[in-house]
Amino acid sequence: MTFSNIILVLTVTCTALVAGLFYGFSCSLVHGLEPLSGEAYIGAMQSINRAIQDPVFFVCFFGALLLLPETLT
């Protein structure tokens, strides 16, 4: 494998992981929290947003952003 192919595979993997996270989030989590009151919903979403901030998420999220321009060259 060439260096550009490795970058492409990493970019596709990071992008797919982030897309899957957002898809699962919008399809299940948002609908699961619908019965909550407005205040409880906001509290739950803020708690989820704090909990998701970990190194794995940041590597996938920003990795796709940083690697994508490399695949276009």
Side-chain angles (χ1 to χ4, degrees):
M1 285 188 93
T2 65
F3 181 71
S4 61
N5 285 345
I6 292 170
I7 296 295
L8 181 61
V9 168
L10 289 173
T11 304
V12 169
T13 302
C14 287
T15 304
L17 287 170
V18 172
L21 174 76
F22 288 151
Y23 179 75
F25 188 85
S26 66
C27 288
S28 61
L29 192 87
V30 172
H31 295 295
L33 296 177
E34 272 181 333
L36 297 177
S37 68
E39 292 174 2
Y41 184 87
I42 290 171
M45 291 298 287
Q46 288 175 341
S47 177
I48 291 166
N49 288 338
R50 280 189 299 272
I52 200 169
Q53 295 178 10
D54 64 359
V56 174
F57 174 75
F58 285 123
V59 166
C60 291
F61 189 79
F62 291 112
L65 178 70
L66 297 174
L67 291 172
L68 188 60
E70 294 297 320
T71 62
L72 300 175
T73 58

